[in-house]
Amino acid sequence: MQYEAVIGLEVHVQVKTATKMFCGCKNEYGAEVNTQVCPVCLGLPGALPTPNEHAIVKTIAAGLMLGCEIAPICKFDRKHYFYPDMPKNYQITQYDLPLCLRGGVILEKYAFPKDVQKEDFATAQKVIRLVRIHLEEDVAKSFHFEEQSGIDFNRAGTPLMEIVSEADLSSAEEAFAYLTTLRQIMVYGGISDADMEKGQMRCDVNISVRPVGQKEFGTKTEIKNLNSISGVRRALQYEIPRQIEVVSKGGSIRQETRRWDDASGQTIIMRVKENAHDYRYFPEPDLLPVRTDQGLKAEAEKLIPELPRQKKERFMKDFGLSDYQAEVLAQERALADYYDEAVKGSSHGAAIANYIINDFLATGPDLNQLPIPASHFRELAELVGGNKINSKQAKEVLAEMFNSHRAPALIVAEKGLEQVTDTAQLETFCDEAIAANEKSVADYRSGKTGAINALKGFVMKKTKGQANPAVIDEILRKKLS
Amino acid sequence: MKSSIDVAYVAGLARLELSEQETETFQKQIAGILDYVEALQQIDVSSVPDTPIDPNLPTNVLREDTQRESLPVESVLRNAPKSANHLVIMPKIVE
Amino acid sequence: MSLPLHRESIASLRRKLTAGEITSQDIVQDLLQRIASVDPKVKGYLRVDAEKALAQAAKTDLKKPLGGIPIAIKDNINEKDEACTCGSQILKGYQAPYDATVTRKLKEAGAILLGRTNMDEFAMGSSTEHSSYQKTANPWKLDHIPGGSSGGSAAVVASDQAIASLGSDTGGSIRQPAALCGCVGLKPTYGRVSRYGLVAFASSLDQIGPFSKTVEDSALLLQAIAGQDVMENTSRPVPVPDYRAALNQPVRGLRIGIPKEYFAEGIDPEVNAALKKSMDWFADQGAELKEVSLPHTHAAVAVYYIIATAEASANLARFDGVRYGHRTQTLGDPLTIYRKSRAEGFGPEVKRRIILGTYVLSSGYYDAYYNQAQKVRQLLRRDFTNAFQNCDLLLTPTSPTPAFKAGEKMSDPLQMYLADICTIAVNLAEVCGISIPCGFSSEQLPIGLQLIGPHFQESSLFRAAHHYEQAHDWYLHRPNL
């Protein structure tokens, strides 16, 4: 029997703001423990929440980028469960009226892992529907020691979006592409840095299998502790066959929570799902409702940047880039912005794209902190395009530029790389070449046009390689005709 | 709906340990209170719009995303029954 | 006529202070003596910080509106570096690291914070017998209860141990003890006074308000603490009028509604008689009295005990022994810590209400209880809106009976709840109410009359209450201690 996997993802994304969701403490990763804490986010008796407008606007912006409907009016609710990292023992979240509803994510070929981009499923442009996006507060962070745990409340109360997908995903590769795309959009919109390793984007996977053709879902397991997008892929590559094997041997899957252990490459059982939690949701009486249709949605619209798909199309149309070049540059917002900066006012878009993709990216730079001013690439392209240096010299300049971060014109001047374009000088060298290579001259004249290369080589040698081959070619042909 | 509270179960949800005596007393008392509030079920509320948001409430009282002072770490930990290395300490939390 | 300073009102002390006849230290010294001689009987204070009060008095700025006036604070309102026990063992030893908005405002107005008053644990009760620290006596009859939950704040004002005090009112916790102790107690409109720093009992019902010896003082105190607060989302942006200016407007022409449901069975004949007399007085003064109906009054107690306990069960979840408050000595996992700490730290009334509140929110019961209660609350609210179409104020008893004997209702929670029958609907409808003395029972126990005003019409309450007060001498009576 053939089985298929049914996968739904719940993705938590930390919203990038200056302050926390319900108080004025800094929302910043990596501070000294318990230094970004106040009565509100510590849940002290008597402290009350006040909602951060910017976090709401950014969540709406995320929803708009994902094609969601934005609720005209929404509210916050209390969700109750006791946990040491939860200061009030209830979480302020959104229950029945979330900010964003529905919407979806298109899985583009390039979002899939490289090794499967040629497969049919990678080019199908499948749409993964979203159920909702809501806004809530994050919990504190625990450190576990031998016999006790220590709690740092810096993260408590920071704004957190939860993006819930329909169970539309059916493979590890689709989950990979879905997360890659979500992450890309979050980063593009400035909604979040969405770094899974820093916990800025966290993912819970719900997975079940069923015989192809069956309508009912099988029993699902939930996988936690996934710290990277490729980790999600590996976890599913393990879990799907595991479930299929159990089911196809007549066994049954228990509803349980498993954790992914990257080292052993297995999902390991954490706990069997106890009875459903009774979260006792009710509307948060400390907070007033939020209307999005009186300015907040308009604010959010202003935040929405040109998205990767639009950007890619523009790169191809305006700068003549290939599909591949445009895709690579458009994938990361930081890189796309860099390219846009580099190409400003230049007619050498394709050359600049080449330098960035083939030369610069090969050096593995940190995209968020690119060390070289983008204008250097434009300068270099102008030097080559204006016949100041040749493409071989360009490589030399690039190498030096990556090394010292200095401007190409400066490097060219310092290294004396400027091409010899003094024609009087070149004419003299050409005359010398003709005089010294009788055989080649004769061959050329007898129709072996390739013989001219020997003469060119002679001149290049004389100029120590700094001549423009096209100019030499022109002079020689004139003299030999 | 006739009330059928199981005090022991609800106390579990509320993370309250009750003695047998307390459970018994509360079971009786709360059942009595629930009998009293039962009368609410008879009230005709059909004229109240079934909206999850009270239309009387003002909306969009929001805070600008600007920083306010946090507490000094000593104040954060001042009332903690146990703390070490600037962390609030609990018995080991098992996930 | 020269009264001892502790007998006087804020207004008269302010006149003497600014005239240079007395100093703030004189007042504090006099009160400290009074407390030393009387509080062992009344037990209204949990703590008095004599040294701090004297130090503050020495720095008095008489230019400020409450400059030099000592005020007592209910022990559920945070005051920086002071204890804030809420009458509970679970907060024994707790030291507030921040000021509630009202304490900050009082300090800014020049007031001296004299001490912390006793209360029913977490404001749950109508007799102050549910304090886990001590039982406060009714100053008029020491074996009777002072009312509650702000019994301490009422008793210290009624026994001249404070010039005025702050309390909190969720279902009558200011007005009922004011009536039973014979002082003035105001429950402002929901949203008039910031709740930031008031340890929450029921967030949608709680309001902070003053106890005072005169209506004028009540107006002075409200002036100091009212207004929208950036730290409190439900505080309303309604301008704060000059309350004192309202005192001198005449009673003539006021339309006063008499809700018939408040004079039904169960009302004590002496209370009824005192109320009838006060109605006659208002009529004589040219007010227009008319019978009105608040048809859902019978449902108020039930609605209240569902909504208040539901909110309380969430608000009190934070008391778990993790970040502050009592932590059990029993060793165990976090779950054990929670269950034991809460069992050891909370008293029986609090436990009872947490369980009731948890139950009405729990899965399967939410609609029948909480949701239905919210709808009936809307009907109650509508009752008041309708009544206020035709009248400016409503006049009712504050409590159906004078103070009862200590211990009388402790074993029957429902009977205790029904003591709040006249005050509860005011909180549910979020309107404002004031209780002022209007006579004495044959046992020499005070009787209170309640005036209820529309949203943010505290000025109307002050106007009517002030004229009534000044035309009678009830407010000048003092218990024999």
Side-chain angles (χ1 to χ4, degrees), chain B residues 29, chain C residues 126-127 129-130 145 176 180 266 349 352 399-420:
Chain B
Q29 287 171 332
Chain C
S126 308
S127 66
E129 292 169 285
H130 292 299
I145 56 99
Q176 185 254 20
L180 302 195
E349 181 60 24
R352 195 153 40 227
S399 164
T401 65
F404 51 87
K405 235 180 165 169
E408 215 173 83
K409 298 185 180 177
M410 278 298 271
S411 59
D412 189 345
L414 189 55
Q415 280 312 304
M416 186 78 97
Y417 297 173
L418 290 169
D420 298 332

Side-chain angles (χ1 to χ4, degrees), chain A residues 251-285:
Chain A
S252 59
I253 300 294
R254 270 185 309 179
Q255 191 172 350
E256 59 195 16
T257 304
R258 304 177 72 86
R259 59 183 278 280
W260 169 242
D261 184 58
D262 218 10
S264 68
Q266 291 181 315
T267 64
I268 297 165
I269 183 157
M270 278 171 80
R271 55 174 177 265
V272 176
K273 203 105 177 166
E274 61 272 41
N275 294 337
H277 280 286
D278 191 340
Y279 289 127
R280 307 190 298 287
Y281 287 100
F282 78 101
E284 166 58 279

Side-chain angles (χ1 to χ4, degrees), chain A residues 3-9 107 112-113 116 119-122 124 126 128 166-179 205-209 229 232-241 244:
Chain A
Y3 287 89
E4 65 179 1
V6 179
I7 304 162
L9 300 185
L107 304 186
F112 281 85
V116 298
E119 306 282 345
D120 286 346
F121 61 77
K126 184 169 170 181
I128 307 304
E166 295 281 2
D168 282 352
L169 298 146
S170 46
S171 69
E173 287 68 33
E174 284 181 3
F176 181 99
Y178 172 80
L179 289 169
V205 174
N206 287 301
I207 150 93
S208 63
V209 297
I229 293 176
V232 172
R233 183 189 184 195
R234 288 195 294 277
L236 283 167
Q237 282 173 334
Y238 172 86
E239 181 69 7
I240 296 169
I244 291 175

Side-chain angles (χ1 to χ4, degrees), chain C residues 28 31-32 35 45 47-49 53 70-72 112-115 161-162:
Chain C
V28 173
L31 280 169
L32 290 172
I35 292 166
Y45 281 105
R47 283 171 308 287
V48 175
D49 194 337
I71 309 244
I112 293 159
L113 305 185
L114 182 61
Q161 302 186 70

Side-chain angles (χ1 to χ4, degrees), chain A residues 84-105:
Chain A
D85 63 11
M86 175 88 84
K88 303 181 293 295
N89 288 320
Y90 62 79
Q91 180 185 32
I92 305 178
T93 178
Q94 299 190 287
Y95 179 50
D96 53 346
L97 288 175
L99 270 167
C100 314
L101 279 171
R102 289 176 276 276
V105 172

